[in-house]
Amino acid sequence: MKKVLVNKKAAKKLEEFFPWVYRSDVISPLEYEAGELVEIYDEGERFLGVGYINPASLITIRVLSFKKEPINHRFIKSRILKAAAKRVKILQHACRVIHSEGDFLPGLIVDKYDEYLSVQFLTAGMVRFKEDILDILINLYEPKGVYVVGEESALKKEGIEPFSQVIGEIPQRVFFEENGVKFAIKLIDAQKTGFYLDQRRNRKALTRYIKQKDRVLDCFCHAGGFGLYAKVYKDAKVRLVDISEEAIALAKENFALNDVKGEFVVANVFDYLRELRKSKEKFDFIILDPPSFAKSKSKKSSALKGFKDITVNAMKIVEDEGYIALFSCSHHIGVKDLEDVILQSAKDNRKTIEVIEYLYQDVDHPYILNNEFSLYLKGILFRVHQI
Ligand SMILES: C[S@@+](CC[C@H](N)C(=O)[O-])C[C@H]1O[C@@H](n2cnc3c(N)ncnc32)[C@H](O)[C@@H]1O
């Protein structure tokens, strides 16, 4: 295995088990192939870890192990089995079984939807182990079908070609249950891996505060998860909004699958909230779960403007003492950022805010404290009061 030297700053982070080295912290000339395995050392030739390197990527080295050990089929298998074992107690019909750095397999995401697997490769280094990984997963779960994707936007940053592959059979719709709610989703050419499993516990948590016949507005609804829980658990009056016709079609299917009714709107939430404001329609409970507005640090300030826009307008159409759940799924937007957005929006609207719950990604998307980026999904549920 080739060696790579990193500077003091990176060495300190690695000693604290942070799993990435940025390009500016690599001392050795970047003469490596995309995804090549490397042993990492500091300037004094002290061993720090084993990982893979990609000169094309800003995150140039990703650590696979902080121990000096061979990285081979056996290593990958032990990591996958460990990740699978962690899920045994929480495994519902649908579960994320491997969550990249959260399971010490950077660049690999695996979701299990009942008898089907959705596998995403995000880095050149992980693609090198593709055959081993698929072989281990198929032996472990014996799925009816596996949909494999080399994710386009991630692999572009890695300088390698995207790809997709079907192993076995993948039907048009894959069915599963989550906390007693039935879902149908598609895996091929889907958003992300097909479904937002990370919001599972939050979907359930919110139902605690929703009352029968409450008017619920599920913004950025995708397959309809939040709204559907509100309907199935509390028989609320639910309206769901998404910009994607496909998402709304899926949400409609999911309501029908559970034999319940909702109202569905294909619209840009930014515009739709303004329309509701004009029409003076009010809601008791509003969910704002937008896509990642800040995919990079440089997009943070425009992302915050987007958050402020939807939050200000949601506060105008929520009933007095009504609830709003605001989420961010970006690494770059923290809880404090969300609090600031809420407080500024409250000032503009002359409201006081009661924080009810802080919400995070579900436990099958592990948060490793040594790696601040592994906490990516944050939400705040709050109540809006007239002064
Ligand atoms: C993070 S997902 C929502 C996940 C969903 N709440 C769930 O629990 O499954 C974000 C959704 O926002 C939609 N979207 C993106 N931009 C939008 C916009 N400007 N207006 C409405 N929907 C939008 C996407 O189509 C996607 O379905």
Side-chain angles (χ1 to χ4, degrees):
M1 213 185 286
K2 276 195 199 163
K3 280 184 174 182
V4 61
L5 297 190
V6 301
N7 67 14
K8 276 201 189 87
K9 189 170 143 210
K12 185 170 179 292
K13 296 283 276 176
L14 291 172
E15 277 170 340
E16 292 161 3
F17 306 120
F18 179 74
W20 297 344
V21 179
Y22 299 104
R23 194 188 284 143
S24 53
D25 295 331
V26 180
I27 294 174
S28 308
L30 285 174
E31 290 158 358
Y32 303 88
E33 285 169 28
E36 193 172 357
L37 287 173
V38 281
E39 283 183 356
I40 312 157
Y41 291 86
D42 71 4
E43 290 162 278
E45 300 267 334
R46 202 160 42 95
F47 173 82
L48 295 164
V50 192
Y52 57 76
I53 189 163
N54 185 354
S57 171
L58 264 182
I59 302 170
T60 307
I61 305 170
R62 293 177 199 247
V63 176
L64 288 159
S65 175
F66 291 99
K67 285 197 298 205
K68 210 171 203 169
E69 59 181 322
I71 307 296
N72 50 23
H73 185 94
R74 209 167 142 189
F75 171 86
I76 300 283
K77 187 171 176 182
S78 79
R79 283 277 149 100
I80 291 179
L81 292 181
K82 211 166 174 181
K86 262 204 268 181
R87 269 65 175 188
V88 169
K89 281 204 181 114
I90 51 172
L91 196 66
Q92 299 208 356
H93 296 268
C95 182
R96 174 150 299 185
V97 286
I98 298 173
H99 185 60
S100 200
E101 277 83 355
D103 288 296
F104 306 99
L105 284 167
L108 179 65
I109 302 275
V110 182
D111 281 358
K112 182 174 175 296
Y113 297 102
D114 221 345
E115 296 179 283
Y116 299 90
L117 296 180
S118 177
V119 181
Q120 279 201 347
F121 288 89
L122 308 175
T123 58
M126 260 307 140
V127 171
R128 286 185 169 227
F129 289 101
K130 182 164 148 274
E131 296 316 315
D132 292 284
I133 290 165
L134 295 176
D135 179 52
I136 296 162
L137 288 171
I138 288 168
N139 276 313
L140 179 64
Y141 291 115
E142 300 178 350
K144 281 191 179 160
V146 185
Y147 185 53
V148 189
V149 167
E151 208 274 327
E152 193 173 349
S153 62
L155 292 192
K156 206 168 153 193
K157 288 187 207 151
E158 293 271 313
I160 66 166
E161 287 299 308
F163 57 87
S164 66
Q165 179 185 353
V166 173
I167 302 170
E169 266 182 40
I170 300 288
Q172 282 280 328
R173 289 287 181 262
V174 166
F175 296 87
F176 60 91
E177 256 186 58
E178 185 190 88
N179 292 321
V181 182
K182 295 181 197 135
F183 285 97
I185 58 158
K186 67 169 202 169
L187 295 188
I188 295 180
D189 295 330
Q191 272 193 31
K192 304 268 180 179
T193 48
F195 192 63
Y196 293 88
L197 290 167
D198 50 4
Q199 288 282 25
R200 182 197 304 110
R201 73 166 159 205
N202 301 330
R203 285 191 272 268
K204 184 145 183 217
L206 297 196
T207 62
R208 185 170 163 208
Y209 306 96
I210 296 171
K211 298 186 301 297
Q212 202 189 12
K213 303 294 171 216
D214 265 1
R215 288 152 301 165
V216 174
L217 183 65
D218 180 358
C219 297
F220 308 97
C221 69
H222 188 240
F226 281 103
L228 191 51
Y229 270 57
K231 184 77 207 175
V232 170
Y233 275 68
K234 291 294 171 76
D235 194 22
K237 193 169 177 303
V238 183
R239 188 176 308 166
L240 303 98
V241 192
D242 201 287
I243 203 165
S244 149
E245 280 183 25
E246 220 174 352
I248 288 294
L250 204 55
K252 278 185 189 167
E253 268 185 63
N254 284 321
F255 270 63
L257 193 64
N258 289 274
D259 210 9
V260 291
K261 292 205 161 40
E263 296 167 17
F264 303 90
V265 182
V266 176
N268 183 333
V269 166
F270 288 84
D271 302 333
Y272 189 65
L273 290 175
R274 284 192 167 75
E275 277 175 37
L276 290 173
R277 212 177 122 178
K278 276 192 209 137
S279 71
K280 303 216 172 348
E281 199 176 347
K282 294 271 181 174
F283 292 84
D284 303 291
F285 207 109
I286 301 175
I287 296 123
L288 301 169
D289 183 21
S292 176
F293 291 147
K295 289 216 164 73
S296 61
K297 221 173 172 180
S298 61
K299 302 264 163 59
K300 184 169 171 176
S301 77
S302 69
L304 290 174
K305 278 191 196 131
F307 275 109
K308 170 98 188 286
D309 193 283
I310 53 175
T311 310
V312 165
N313 286 319
M315 279 187 197
K316 291 194 191 297
I317 59 164
V318 76
E319 285 288 4
D320 184 29
E321 315 235 312
Y323 291 82
I324 299 177
L326 175 66
F327 292 98
S328 163
C329 57
S330 160
H331 302 302
H332 305 287
I333 307 283
V335 173
K336 179 78 178 70
D337 295 314
L338 290 183
E339 286 172 344
D340 288 347
V341 163
I342 295 166
L343 202 54
Q344 283 166 20
S345 307
K347 269 191 201 158
D348 290 4
N349 280 304
R350 293 187 51 76
K351 307 272 190 198
T352 60
I353 301 299
E354 179 186 1
V355 172
I356 304 296
E357 279 199 36
Y358 288 90
L359 305 156
Y360 300 99
Q361 67 221 37
D362 209 342
V363 287
D364 49 344
H365 298 61
Y367 169 30
I368 306 298
L369 205 54
N370 313 62
N371 173 8
E372 71 263 29
F373 294 108
S374 63
L375 180 66
Y376 69 99
L377 178 65
K378 304 114 199 165
I380 303 180
L381 173 67
F382 57 95
R383 271 185 111 172
V384 182
H385 298 277
Q386 302 274 21
I387 50 166

